[in-house]
Amino acid sequence: MSAKQKTQETTSYKPYSWQAILEFRAMWVVLALGLVLPFVISKPLATEIMVYALFALAFNLLLGHTGIISFGHAGYLGAGAYAGAMVVYYGGVGVWVSLLAAMAGGTLVAVLIGLLAVKRKGAYFAMISLAIAQMLYFLALSPFKRWTDGEDSLKLPPLSVDFPFHIDLSDQLSLYYFVFVIVALAVLAQWRILSSPFGHALKGIRENEDRIRACGFDITRIKFLSIIYSGLFSGLAGGLLAIYLGAASITILFWMTSGIVVMQTVLGGTHTFMGPFIGTAVFLYLRNNISNYTDRWEMWVGAMFMALILLFPEGIWGTIVQKIGERRRPSAS
Amino acid sequence: MELSWEIILMQVIMGLALGAIYVLLASGLSIIFGLLDVLNFAHGTFYMLGAYAMFTAISLCGNFWVGLVAAVVIVSLIGGLFEITLLKRLYGTDQIYPLLLCFGLGIFIPDIIKMAFGLIGKVVDYPAMLQGATFVGNLILPKYRIFLVVLMALVLLALYVFMKKTSIGMIIRAATRDRLMVNCLGINVSRVWTVGFMLGIGLAALAGAVAAPMVQTIPNMGDEMTVEAFVVVVIGGLGSLGGAALGGLILGQVVSFVSLLAPDWSNVSIFLTMALILVLRPRGLFGEEGRD
């Protein structure tokens, strides 16, 4: 199959290249904008954008940076949400422990999918990850109904944080800033991971797997780690989502969640670092507004997504980065 | 529960009928992937379109068989149109883009159907000659299920003959192996792809059309089927028709028996079967070495 596949000319970024610097600045600009976001749009929407942006960035670790097509991310997010909610619901533990449990939940599912599918490429990985996530959905729906409450979501009591200082999470603004700080830290952690030698090996695998193997890298191990990182951050996003929603609901596990994160990521630009973040913000803002006017938002989203794939496959931020690159090229060469 | 051999045989037949639908659906998916290298995320959507085309055709002309043919032809043409106008532009790009285009189509079309037909399910009647059941001794054989199994066998036979004995089938097989070489031999590969895509979509539509009387025809009936078709081809081995057939039949039996013994687990069992096969034989039952 690899012979059949032609990699599109991608805007890959190198360490300390103009692109890495641009992305680095964009990251700080976006995070700075995040500080004032709840005063520009509604607080719940702002919180939702932060949570899903973290999820999209985690997803893009696989799609954009390693070149693995995953359609099973609903499984990571849902496992995170349920693990986080269940330890609170049954164990009565605090928010921090709940987030740790969420990360553990996401990682566990990543290990499962990784073990089954890490050696499969392209479409195969997409199908297997999708199937495993769907299995979790059906498990939570009926056989494990006793613990997950099936179609009725698992509802959480009002939460508050006591360490390091008191934060009342039932207040919308406090909740936003709580989520924002965690998401910002996770974004920085992902930036750190991707700037490491490991992060560059990931990009090497995306561009030319055989060559990286020939260089002596253990492809399977690197890919597996990348899946784990993706599951870890997705699980964290799931834990935050459960806190934001005040519940772990079964729709999080449904495969449309995986589809939506793909759309958000591609909308922003898969071959960039901040693209998924920007794509998520635009996607959720549009969805919020379109659904005020029509019940048929799926039709509009589907049509716009097809147009995006055909006309701007690099996405919003990806296209901007590309244009800047084209403008630089004459002087650079 | 007492498990008499009648009940067991009955479940086998139910499983065969369900398996027949999986086989039709998955063989279409497999042909499209093998030939075009496109993972058709809208496969379940075309299955749903098949059911709705069937409903529309029957309500217009009143005949089940005319409806069946019309459904397959109409939906294949829609598929062909999609391939020629949109999908074709993305060949030669990264594998993810055609996949995502199909995914977008799979979100777009069900909403159109919701607008055109409403959210409430449509009923497609069994044809008069296939209603009810025949009795063999104590055994109740629902005629329609038997028909499905026979239809599947005939379609598989026809596909086999088409692929192995006709010149266009030979070209399709050759193009699956090496598209560049076939192009060099002066054959218009792009037209072969359109034919292959329409063939795959036609099989999905046929699956939807024959499933319509047994299941509820609703706009989202295809969502689950896309995933289940994926599971079948993962079990059978991607790109192998024999694999799709065997995988579909296995899955039909698994679902049929698990729904009888542990109904809660029937949906989960599909995926557990897949996971088990992946552990035992990672490339699928009939998967070729290296095609992963």
Side-chain angles (χ1 to χ4, degrees), chain B residues 54-254:
Chain B
M54 178 86 169
F55 167 77
T56 313
I58 289 184
S59 47
L60 287 179
C61 73
N63 186 306
F64 180 87
W65 305 104
V66 178
L68 196 61
V69 174
V72 173
V73 171
I74 291 167
V75 179
S76 313
L77 288 176
I78 295 173
L81 191 70
F82 168 67
E83 201 267 350
I84 291 169
T85 55
L86 300 176
L87 195 58
K88 196 155 265 182
R89 294 160 192 265
L90 294 175
Y91 294 154
T93 60
D94 199 326
Q95 201 183 25
I96 179 101
Y97 292 110
L99 183 159
L100 291 177
L101 188 75
C102 292
F103 177 74
L105 188 77
I107 295 178
F108 178 69
I109 288 185
D111 247 26
I112 300 280
I113 296 292
K114 275 180 207 162
M115 286 211 300
F117 292 90
L119 292 167
I120 299 154
K122 300 290 177 197
V123 179
V124 175
D125 288 323
Y126 290 106
M129 61 183 287
L130 293 175
Q131 270 167 6
T134 46
F135 295 88
V136 179
N138 271 343
L139 205 61
I140 311 161
L141 298 175
K143 283 185 194 166
Y144 194 74
R145 317 268 158 157
I146 305 287
F147 156 72
L148 278 186
V149 179
V150 174
L151 178 78
M152 173 206 64
L154 288 177
V155 169
L156 278 183
L157 188 69
L159 262 183
Y160 180 82
V161 172
F162 174 74
M163 285 293 192
K164 299 275 169 171
K165 305 288 178 197
T166 67
S167 55
I168 175 116
M170 191 184 69
I171 293 170
I172 287 182
R173 279 188 294 131
T176 304
R177 282 273 150 116
D178 190 343
R179 64 186 80 166
L180 194 63
M181 197 62 218
V182 174
N183 218 353
C184 289
L185 292 172
I187 289 156
N188 187 344
V189 173
S190 121
R191 200 164 297 156
V192 175
W193 283 7
T194 308
V195 171
F197 190 78
M198 285 172 72
L199 178 66
I201 296 301
L203 286 166
L206 179 64
V210 293
M214 297 194 302
V215 298
Q216 219 191 346
T217 306
I218 51 169
N220 286 98
M221 66 190 278
D223 291 1
E224 311 273 298
M225 288 314 266
T226 304
V227 187
E228 281 163 30
F230 287 175
V231 171
V232 172
V233 295
V234 170
I235 289 178
L238 202 48
S240 149
L241 271 183
L246 187 60
L249 292 177
I250 290 175
L251 214 56
Q253 295 304 325
V254 169

Side-chain angles (χ1 to χ4, degrees), chain A residues 103-121:
Chain A
M103 286 196 270
T107 310
L108 204 66
V109 176
V111 169
L112 182 68
I113 291 184
L115 284 177
L116 279 174
V118 68
K119 289 193 175 169
R120 324 308 301 178
K121 284 177 202 156

Side-chain angles (χ1 to χ4, degrees), chain A:
Chain A
M1 184 123 74
S2 53
K4 272 188 179 182
Q5 245 170 277
K6 252 186 270 166
T7 322
Q8 210 180 36
E9 198 198 337
T10 53
T11 51
S12 56
Y13 64 90
K14 299 165 200 75
Y16 315 119
S17 66
W18 62 270
Q19 209 182 340
I21 295 165
L22 183 67
E23 292 274 9
F24 190 66
R25 287 179 185 158
M27 178 177 75
W28 285 111
V29 170
V30 167
L31 290 182
L33 288 176
L35 280 174
V36 293
L37 192 64
F39 303 103
V40 182
I41 56 176
S42 79
K43 291 175 197 90
L45 179 62
T47 317
E48 197 180 350
I49 286 176
M50 282 300 150
V51 172
Y52 277 103
L54 172 59
F55 182 42
L57 280 176
F59 167 76
N60 203 37
L61 276 180
L62 288 192
L63 178 65
H65 300 292
T66 322
I68 296 176
I69 310 172
S70 162
F71 256 87
H73 266 63
Y76 306 155
L77 189 76
Y82 271 99
M86 278 160 100
V87 291
V88 172
Y89 191 83
Y90 296 108
V93 299
V95 169
W96 295 115
V97 181
S98 155
L99 288 179
L100 281 179
M103 286 196 270
T107 310
L108 204 66
V109 176
V111 169
L112 182 68
I113 291 184
L115 284 177
L116 279 174
V118 68
K119 289 193 175 169
R120 324 308 301 178
K121 284 177 202 156
Y124 242 120
F125 190 93
M127 291 192 290
I128 294 169
S129 55
L130 174 58
I132 300 292
Q134 232 3 44
M135 177 173 86
L136 293 178
Y137 168 77
F138 284 117
L139 274 177
L141 190 64
S142 63
F144 293 168
K145 198 175 177 170
R146 210 181 316 157
W147 301 289
T148 60
D149 277 3
E151 281 186 340
D152 313 317
S153 39
L154 195 67
K155 289 179 191 64
L156 294 178
L159 295 168
S160 61
V161 180
D162 287 319
F163 178 84
F165 47 83
H166 182 80
I167 308 167
D168 180 14
L169 294 183
S170 48
D171 174 55
Q172 286 183 342
L173 198 62
S174 313
L175 175 65
Y176 174 79
Y177 281 108
F178 175 75
V179 169
F180 172 74
V181 168
I182 293 175
V183 170
L185 289 174
V187 170
L188 291 172
Q190 285 190 40
W191 174 267
R192 185 69 196 81
I193 289 172
L194 286 171
S195 334
S196 70
F198 168 75
H200 290 110
L202 293 184
K203 257 156 246 127
I205 290 176
R206 181 190 76 198
E207 294 299 322
N208 193 338
E209 190 176 320
D210 293 332
R211 190 159 168 187
I212 297 297
R213 183 179 289 119
C215 289
F217 286 91
D218 185 349
I219 300 282
T220 308
R221 200 180 129 259
I222 295 174
K223 277 187 173 177
F224 195 79
L225 261 178
S226 156
I227 295 169
I228 300 275
Y229 276 129
S230 189
L232 181 86
F233 286 114
S234 304
L236 178 62
L240 290 173
L241 187 62
I243 292 171
Y244 157 69
L245 293 172
S249 99
I250 194 83
T251 50
I252 300 174
L253 274 170
F254 194 60
W255 70 289
M256 194 44 84
T257 307
S258 307
I260 286 172
V261 75
V262 174
M263 293 199 278
Q264 290 168 341
T265 306
V266 174
L267 175 63
T270 54
H271 297 116
T272 61
F273 180 71
M274 283 314 279
F277 205 112
I278 295 162
T280 303
V282 173
F283 183 94
L284 289 180
Y285 184 77
L286 282 181
R287 185 177 74 177
N288 218 44
N289 284 305
I290 291 177
S291 53
N292 283 341
Y293 298 107
T294 169
D295 293 335
R296 299 273 78 92
W297 83 269
E298 285 188 353
M299 184 182 81
W300 293 105
V301 164
M304 285 193 287
F305 185 65
M306 283 196 284
L308 179 79
I309 292 290
L310 289 165
L311 304 173
F312 300 103
E314 291 296 324
I316 299 170
W317 179 237
T319 307
I320 293 173
V321 172
Q322 215 173 29
K323 290 277 179 260
I324 295 174
E326 277 165 17
R327 197 175 287 178
R328 287 178 57 96
R329 201 155 292 157
S331 61
S333 62

